[in-house]
Amino acid sequence: MRAKQDVKPIGTFSWLPILVHGDAAFAGQGVVVETLQMSQLRGYRTGGTIHVVVNNQVGFTTVPQDARSSVYATDVAKTIQAPIFHVNGDDPESVVHVAQLAFEYRERFHRDVVVDLVCYRRRGHNEGDDPSMTQPLMTDLIQAKRSVRRLYTESLVGRGDITEEEYEEAKRDFQDRLEVAFAETHAAETGATPIAPESTPAVELEGTPETTAVSQQVIELIGDAFVNKPEGFTVHSKIQQLLDKRLDMSRNGNIDWGFGELLAFGSLLVEGTPVRLAGQDSRRGTFVQRHAVLHDRANGQEWLPLANLSENQGRFWVYDSLLSEYAAMAFEYGYSVEATNALVLWEAQFGDFANGAQSVIDEYISSAEQKWGQHSAVTLLLPTATRVRVPTTPPRASSVSCSCARRTT
Ligand SMILES: Cc1ncc(C[n+]2csc(CCOP(=O)(O)OP(=O)(O)O)c2C)c(N)n1
Ligand SMILES: [Mg+2]
């Protein structure tokens, strides 16, 4: 936008920047605040951006209570005194009204303005999701709701503004336009070739150290924990099968990745080592693979099987983080420096998002020992990592690990 405006007479601001955000991203990602801070600086200003926050009250599987400390997702915009309009997404006419106000404000004052479009997510997240597992009560409410289109049609027809026939015609017309756009986009696809990931040389391990083995009883204890549900707890129908499978794996082997990881955590817990894991959607797991926390389908109550292994076990903490990499990884680094007896894990949603915290890796994880003699055993879980740059040259570098299955048999 700024580049476009710089070829026009100074101060005309004839291009209108519109940024669309998610609620979790707007509250969590530091770059949002950095960009807001730029908005009035002479080197960066664009004459006001209209920010539309599509606030569906959830970030993938993460609830607002885990995603921000502020009341509103949009509160960071208060730092630049931007007007913030909170509007009900179920009420299209109010949305249009607010959009007009935001536009007029931008045109008059050439400053940023925010529209917080409060709505909900009907169909789960695009990366493989069943929200009834993590937000059972909210899902039930949403399922029982009529769609925005239905509600608005009813009110238009009820008011006599349009007839049912006119509605059907408008719907057909709109769908035709979507079809045309879809066909055109499809035809325009260039078929770009994906970049093949570079193959990484295999790391030679010198056998499995004897000391990391655990007994069959410990494996069984962990398997049992996933079926010993609290009294009256209603397990989600799709998850029960997985829990039974975990019991079976603990007896008969064929252990999958998800359970292998839980065995690693669980066996450390049994030995008295605390385990802390934080990351985006880590409680359920990005790939619906972990289920370290289960939600009662009927009342939403939580159950953490690994917190109920034995009397004297270590404490188990697992958190969905805010939508941050930089601050979130740095926090776990600091935590691990202090909690030397704990297994402290930060999990990237996908491995390459760790790049957003690359300076934490460079400045602390891989070099703090050399710089300050400061040790950390923070463990980074980087699923599907292909492009994370972990420096290999600094002396005695790197407690960075791409795997967490430290103690499975
Ligand atoms: C920098 C970065 N970190 C993590 C992700 C993974 N991720 C994709 S969507 C999502 C949740 C987004 O929530 P929100 O901002 O509320 O948008 P919504 O999907 O609800 O519209 C996350 C964590 C990402 N895409 N980019
Ligand atoms: Mg959201």
Side-chain angles (χ1 to χ4, degrees):
M1 280 298 137
R2 176 57 184 255
K4 283 177 185 298
Q5 286 168 350
D6 277 352
V7 297
K8 302 261 177 159
I10 290 170
T12 50
F13 301 127
S14 53
W15 291 85
L16 172 66
I18 301 176
L19 278 174
V20 181
H21 310 258
D23 51 315
F26 198 75
Q29 294 273 289
V31 69
V32 172
V33 184
E34 292 174 32
T35 312
L36 288 168
Q37 204 61 267
M38 288 167 152
S39 63
Q40 289 303 307
L41 306 184
R42 61 185 175 177
Y44 302 93
R45 67 180 163 223
T46 55
T49 295
I50 297 180
H51 300 267
V52 179
V53 178
V54 181
N55 182 356
N56 56 11
Q57 307 179 65
V58 70
F60 198 1
T61 68
T62 303
V63 290
Q65 298 89 293
D66 286 326
R68 60 177 192 259
S69 296
S70 55
V71 175
Y72 293 100
T74 49
D75 278 351
V76 288
K78 288 179 177 170
T79 57
I80 57 161
Q81 277 84 46
I84 302 167
F85 297 103
H86 306 284
V87 61
N88 177 3
D90 255 2
D91 182 351
E93 290 179 8
S94 296
V95 174
V96 170
H97 178 63
V98 157
Q100 275 160 348
L101 276 177
F103 177 68
E104 281 168 29
Y105 174 87
R106 188 272 176 187
E107 289 300 274
R108 176 129 174 227
F109 299 106
H110 292 302
R111 299 179 73 100
D112 283 24
V113 52
V114 179
V115 175
D116 180 17
L117 190 61
V118 183
C119 50
Y120 57 88
R121 188 185 63 185
R122 187 174 282 276
R123 298 188 198 283
H125 191 264
N126 66 330
E127 270 150 358
D129 187 31
D130 180 342
S132 67
M133 290 178 181
T134 44
Q135 278 81 28
L137 301 186
M138 194 177 179
T139 305
D140 289 346
L141 284 175
I142 292 169
Q143 292 309 327
K145 267 179 76 65
R146 283 164 297 164
S147 71
V148 184
R149 188 174 71 197
R150 188 60 359 242
L151 285 172
Y152 191 46
T153 306
E154 282 169 13
S155 88
L156 286 175
V157 174
R159 286 193 320 223
D161 288 353
I162 61 166
T163 62
E164 268 295 337
E165 293 72 44
E166 283 169 324
Y167 158 69
E168 287 299 337
E169 197 184 313
K171 190 172 99 176
R172 250 195 322 275
D173 176 57
F174 184 64
Q175 255 152 9
D176 288 347
R177 281 198 269 163
L178 289 180
E179 285 299 333
V180 170
F182 178 72
E184 284 174 359
T185 316
H186 204 63
E189 266 175 12
T190 54
T193 29
I195 304 163
E198 278 176 37
S199 60
T200 15
V203 180
E204 284 298 328
L205 296 176
E206 291 167 14
T208 307
E210 196 55 34
T211 48
T212 66
V214 299
S215 68
Q216 176 73 26
Q217 285 94 309
V218 169
I219 303 291
E220 291 180 6
L221 180 75
I222 298 164
D224 291 345
F226 284 88
V227 288
N228 289 339
K229 58 181 187 185
E231 184 125 345
F233 190 94
T234 312
V235 176
H236 191 287
S237 57
K238 284 193 197 157
I239 301 179
Q240 184 58 55
Q241 225 183 346
L242 174 92
L243 301 185
D244 294 338
K245 195 172 159 219
R246 285 183 178 166
L247 181 69
D248 182 65
M249 288 187 284
S250 73
R251 301 304 196 274
N252 302 316
N254 284 329
I255 291 164
D256 62 18
W257 179 268
F259 190 51
E261 210 184 50
L262 293 164
L263 289 175
F265 302 160
S267 55
L268 286 171
L269 290 167
V270 170
E271 290 167 17
T273 302
V275 175
R276 174 188 160 94
L277 164 64
Q280 291 158 16
D281 308 288
S282 291
R283 293 172 13 130
R284 187 204 68 179
T286 290
F287 310 102
V288 206
Q289 85 289 10
R290 181 170 292 130
H291 299 289
V293 179
L294 293 111
H295 298 262
D296 188 309
R297 184 63 186 86
N299 61 24
Q301 225 157 22
E302 297 175 357
W303 164 37
L304 283 77
L306 290 186
N308 297 290
L309 293 171
S310 65
E311 286 274 303
N312 303 321
Q313 71 167 89
R315 291 181 69 181
F316 178 55
W317 295 283
V318 56
Y319 298 109
D320 291 339
S321 78
L322 73 171
L323 212 174
S324 154
E325 284 79 25
Y326 189 14
M329 188 199 290
F331 190 98
E332 300 314 320
Y333 173 77
Y335 192 101
S336 69
V337 170
E338 175 66 24
T340 47
N341 65 335
L343 172 64
V344 182
L345 308 112
W346 178 79
E347 181 174 57
Q349 183 112 65
F350 290 92
D352 44 5
F353 290 135
N355 289 353
Q358 188 65 51
S359 45
V360 177
I361 298 174
D362 292 350
E363 299 299 331
Y364 293 90
I365 297 178
S366 66
S367 60
E369 184 179 349
Q370 192 198 13
K371 289 198 283 198
W372 310 302
Q374 180 169 283
H375 298 267
S376 159
V378 71
T379 299
L380 306 184
L381 303 183
L382 310 173
T384 67
T386 54
R387 296 197 297 275
V388 179
R389 187 170 59 84
V390 178
T392 50
T393 41
R396 285 175 287 141
S398 198
S399 41
V400 176
S401 152
C402 293
S403 153
C404 73
R406 297 183 356 157
R407 291 199 179 198
T408 52
T409 49

